[in-house]
Amino acid sequence: MHEIKCPHCGKAFKIDEAGYAAILKQVRDGTFEQELHERLELAAKEKQSELELLRERRRPTPPAGGGGQGRRDPGAAGQAAGG
C-alpha cells in the first residue's frame, strides 16, 4: 500500500499497488508526451533556422565596386595611356 497526499486539499489516502501503478503511468505518460511535444517543436525551429541559413548561403552576392568591373588602379590607367 502507498500513501498519497492530494496536492489540492492536502488530504492523505492509501492506495493499492495496482492503483498506484496506474497513477504513476498516467504521470509518466503525461510527462513523456509533454517533453516529446517540446522536443518536436524545438527540432522544427532548428530545421527552419538551418533552411534559412542555407538559403542565405545560396544567394548570389553582388560584386564589390558596382558593375562587376573590379577595382582599378588609377595610376595604371594613366601609365597605359601615357606610355
Side-chain angles (χ1 to χ4, degrees):
M1 295 292 269
H2 292 274
E3 187 172 303
I4 297 178
K5 185 176 180 181
C6 176
H8 298 289
C9 68
K11 182 179 177 182
F13 59 94
K14 293 190 185 255
I15 189 168
D16 65 358
E17 286 293 326
Y20 183 77
I23 291 173
L24 191 59
K25 183 180 182 318
Q26 287 177 7
V27 171
R28 285 185 181 158
D29 288 350
T31 303
F32 176 79
E33 287 293 327
Q34 182 180 359
E35 289 177 1
L36 179 62
H37 181 70
E38 290 171 0
R39 288 183 183 197
L40 287 173
E41 284 183 352
L42 180 61
K45 288 178 184 179
E46 288 177 357
K47 179 182 175 184
Q48 189 64 32
S49 296
E50 290 290 330
L51 288 173
E52 289 175 12
L53 182 62
L54 287 172
R55 285 185 192 119
E56 287 178 14
R57 287 182 180 172
R58 293 183 78 186
R59 285 189 192 135
T61 56
Q69 297 293 325
R71 300 180 90 186
R72 291 186 177 177
D73 183 7
Q79 289 176 357

